[in-house]
Amino acid sequence: MIYGEPETPRFLAALQRLKKQQRKKERQTRLAKQRVRAALRKMRPC
């Protein structure tokens, strides 16, 4: 493990931080995709 024992608070805190960053990135990419789709719809009315 990175910090020795997997149960150490530092390790758990690092894991939480990582997960939080991943969720943030996923949300940003999802929003970006929505914006792109909306822009394409505006450009190409069909």
Side-chain angles (χ1 to χ4, degrees), residues 15-30:
L15 265 186
Q16 286 177 339
R17 227 178 7 255
L18 262 179
K19 288 180 185 173
K20 200 164 136 186
Q21 286 175 349
Q22 283 179 334
R23 279 197 300 269
K24 189 176 172 186
K25 206 190 313 187
E26 286 171 7
R27 191 173 67 239
Q28 284 176 343
T29 46
R30 196 162 55 239

Side-chain angles (χ1 to χ4, degrees), residues 30-45:
R30 196 162 55 239
L31 289 175
K33 284 179 185 174
Q34 286 178 358
R35 280 197 300 271
V36 167
R37 279 198 291 269
L40 283 176
R41 268 200 303 273
K42 283 182 188 170
M43 280 170 35
R44 252 190 353 227

